[in-house]
Amino acid sequence: MPSVLTQLHDAVNHDPVSLTGRRLDWANEPDPYKHYGPRVDRTSLPVDVQATGGLHAPGLARLLRGALGPTAVLRRPGGQLHLRAWASAGALYPFEAYVAASGVEGVPNGLHHYSPLENELRLLRPGKDSHGDAASLRLILATRIFRSSWKYGPRAFRYCLLDPGHALENLVLLARALGFSPRVSLSLDDAAWCRQLCLNQELERPVAAVDLGGAFSTNTLGDPAEPCLDRDGVVSPAEKPEPKIVHAFQVTAGAERESTPDTPPESVPWGDPESLMGSRRSRRNFLPDATLGQAAHEAITGCLRPWRDTPRVSLLCQGVEGMQDGRHALDVSTGPLVKGELHLPMTGVCLGQEWLANAPLHVLFTANLAELESRSGPSGYRGALLRAGRLGQRVYLAAEALGMGACGVGAFFDKQASDLLALEEHERLLYLVAVGPVRKR
Ligand SMILES: Cc1cc2nc3c(=O)[nH]c(=O)nc-3n(C[C@H](O)[C@H](O)[C@H](O)COP(=O)(O)O)c2cc1C
């Protein structure tokens, strides 16, 4: 009997027979940035590269800009695209950040939208946290579904969680480096936050929050009965809900859970996370026949253990020093789970992305969905994908620190992946990130 989550996940599987290229509706291409009208008050954030973490505008500004901001410009026909500090499927950036601030120096009290392009806050709902006089600061991450579903259709459900997971990891790592003590929640009351932020739940869903001081809840700030100062900014002329994704978000909705301190990784191979976030890119030019040395392998795997088993992490090795070719559990004491040279067949599984064959290490994120559901209920699914994205971003940053390259892969034939990797009955591949030495950076 398939579990609810297995069915939900398999409903957006790719398979070689049914996969056909989607025709993109260019006239309806989503804007990667959200715009609000002139009635919204704006606060320009200071650029201070020396600012440290604290409940003040310069600390907040440095965090938001470093973790989420544009880091490169890609020229393309008809305009340009800003690439960001976090990886995103198809560079579509289906994610928005909001700031709930009360008593934060230099920031008006209330709920704001953060614009990474203008580096400004837009005040959507003024109001003070009613918990008392202590200052409080919360970041809310919401996924703007159509940006990704425009290109990927229902499969975008996974990217709408993996992508914000990448951004969330940047926020947590940089917050810690700046001296904040971030607390994370991966389970929010969607409906309550949508009311507060004036979001249409079918188009944009809050998926995670980071508390940087104090504790906000949906009922402490402003009166949701009062209208916002402006309605939700539209992102394309004919933005429309994707029914399968609306359903999937409904099924996986959970109760608001308190944020908890985030477990630091066991080992952090990078020095300055801010500069690594600034220079990180997806690199696919892996050197043919290159190997991955033991020190690099240990540095990468050392930063992948913060959560016990959600998602599960395994390693597909071909040319990793000291490791037999094949798929290994992260704790290698038991020997390979599957032996052999699997990289070439893996490129076929990943829709013929041939460059994957040259990356000696593929870090695989999987979850046994029936097990996850019986332990955490359907809402556990969101956490599994968000955390797979978080760990994926760590792999990118670790590769950058080691002078190597990394690239995430969300496009694969799901059933073929399960067969090749010999996954358990309800275990599914969620995401993978390929790592190795690259030709030129
Ligand atoms: C969830 C996810 C899935 C991705 N899937 C693929 C993929 O299948 N193939 C690929 O070449 N790149 C993939 N990427 C990499 C993106 O294309 C890349 O992040 C985006 O173009 C932005 O470029 P940048 O990472 O260099 O900033 C994926 C990234 C993410 C986060």
Side-chain angles (χ1 to χ4, degrees):
M1 178 72 183
S3 71
V4 170
L5 283 187
T6 315
Q7 280 174 335
L8 199 74
H9 184 85
D10 290 349
V12 301
N13 278 355
H14 280 331
D15 73 74
V17 178
S18 62
L19 185 73
T20 50
R22 282 174 72 86
R23 279 176 57 128
L24 295 182
D25 176 6
W26 288 105
N28 203 21
E29 185 188 7
D31 190 327
Y33 295 105
K34 219 168 159 185
H35 305 280
Y36 287 91
R39 286 191 309 134
V40 168
D41 279 343
R42 286 144 209 274
T43 305
S44 277
L45 290 174
V47 177
D48 177 354
V49 292
Q50 302 298 325
T52 50
L55 299 184
H56 44 67
L60 173 66
R62 184 169 172 199
L63 172 63
L64 292 174
R65 199 177 173 83
L68 307 181
T71 51
V73 178
L74 198 68
R75 312 248 163 247
R76 57 177 192 172
Q80 56 183 28
L81 174 74
H82 295 104
L83 298 176
R84 316 269 181 98
W86 45 286
S88 162
L92 294 164
Y93 305 108
F95 147 77
E96 298 289 338
Y98 299 88
V99 174
S102 188
V104 175
E105 209 184 303
V107 178
N109 290 337
L111 275 179
H112 305 254
H113 173 258
Y114 170 66
S115 164
L117 189 60
E118 276 97 2
N119 194 34
E120 66 176 21
L121 298 176
R122 290 96 173 250
L123 186 59
L124 303 179
R125 188 185 289 289
K128 204 168 173 311
D129 181 9
S130 57
H131 265 137
D133 289 337
S136 51
L137 182 57
R138 162 169 267 207
L139 311 179
I140 302 114
L141 316 189
T143 191
R144 187 74 181 197
I145 299 159
F146 188 67
R147 287 216 187 97
S148 190
S149 67
W150 167 74
K151 179 168 182 186
Y152 296 116
R155 178 96 173 177
F157 178 52
R158 299 189 194 168
Y159 306 147
C160 283
L161 292 163
L162 290 166
D163 282 16
H166 276 263
L168 175 61
E169 189 57 14
N170 269 7
L171 282 169
V172 171
L173 289 173
L174 187 52
R176 216 184 285 141
L178 294 178
F180 289 102
S181 302
R183 299 165 63 89
V184 173
S185 173
L186 302 183
S187 186
L188 303 178
D189 179 339
D190 293 4
W193 281 105
C194 282
R195 269 197 309 279
Q196 286 283 11
L197 295 165
C198 281
L199 304 178
N200 172 346
Q201 271 196 80
E202 299 201 336
L203 299 178
E204 190 171 330
R205 281 272 176 168
V207 292
V210 183
D211 286 315
L212 298 168
F216 262 95
S217 73
T218 46
N219 54 10
T220 60
L221 189 114
D223 175 359
E226 271 178 32
C228 283
L229 287 183
D230 205 338
R231 296 301 307 170
D232 188 11
V234 291
V235 304
S236 84
E239 184 174 10
K240 48 182 185 293
E242 171 63 57
K244 274 192 182 167
I245 300 185
V246 172
H247 171 72
F249 270 115
Q250 272 159 0
V251 171
T252 57
E256 180 94 12
R257 240 182 273 133
E258 244 182 61
S259 57
T260 49
D262 214 53
T263 333
E266 281 176 20
S267 100
V268 182
W270 47 77
D272 168 17
E274 196 174 20
S275 73
L276 295 172
M277 288 169 199
S279 59
R280 174 216 66 79
R281 289 271 74 84
S282 292
R283 305 184 202 278
R284 303 168 185 84
N285 54 344
F286 296 103
L287 275 170
D289 304 321
T291 53
L292 191 76
Q294 197 167 345
H297 166 232
E298 281 170 12
I300 292 161
T301 53
C303 69
L304 289 171
R305 298 169 205 268
W307 303 288
R308 252 167 302 156
D309 53 358
T310 312
R312 294 178 182 176
V313 182
S314 59
L315 308 172
L316 196 63
C317 301
Q318 192 168 318
V320 178
E321 213 178 279
M323 302 285 285
Q324 248 181 294
D325 288 349
R327 181 165 89 93
H328 297 259
L330 195 57
D331 294 311
V332 289
S333 50
T334 50
L337 301 168
V338 189
K339 280 190 203 152
E341 297 187 356
L342 301 183
H343 272 41
L344 205 53
M346 197 61 192
T347 66
V349 164
C350 295
L351 278 54
Q353 303 191 64
E354 288 175 359
W355 49 269
L356 273 168
N358 291 333
L361 179 63
H362 299 174
V363 181
L364 309 170
F365 302 107
T366 65
N368 183 319
L369 297 177
E371 215 174 86
L372 180 65
E373 189 175 329
S374 66
R375 203 175 53 232
S376 314
S379 66
Y381 185 78
R382 292 197 196 177
L385 269 98
L386 285 160
R387 285 175 166 165
R390 293 188 63 178
L391 294 175
Q393 183 72 11
R394 280 189 192 190
V395 176
Y396 268 90
L397 297 176
E400 193 66 18
L402 294 163
M404 297 192 179
C407 186
V409 173
F412 43 81
F413 296 125
D414 297 80
K415 172 80 175 61
Q416 282 78 350
S418 299
D419 292 346
L420 181 71
L421 301 170
L423 301 186
E424 291 167 8
E425 187 188 352
H426 289 282
E427 190 179 10
R428 297 288 186 271
L429 179 63
L430 306 177
Y431 183 41
L432 73 92
V433 182
V435 200
V438 286
R439 252 188 234 112
K440 195 167 141 250
R441 290 163 35 86

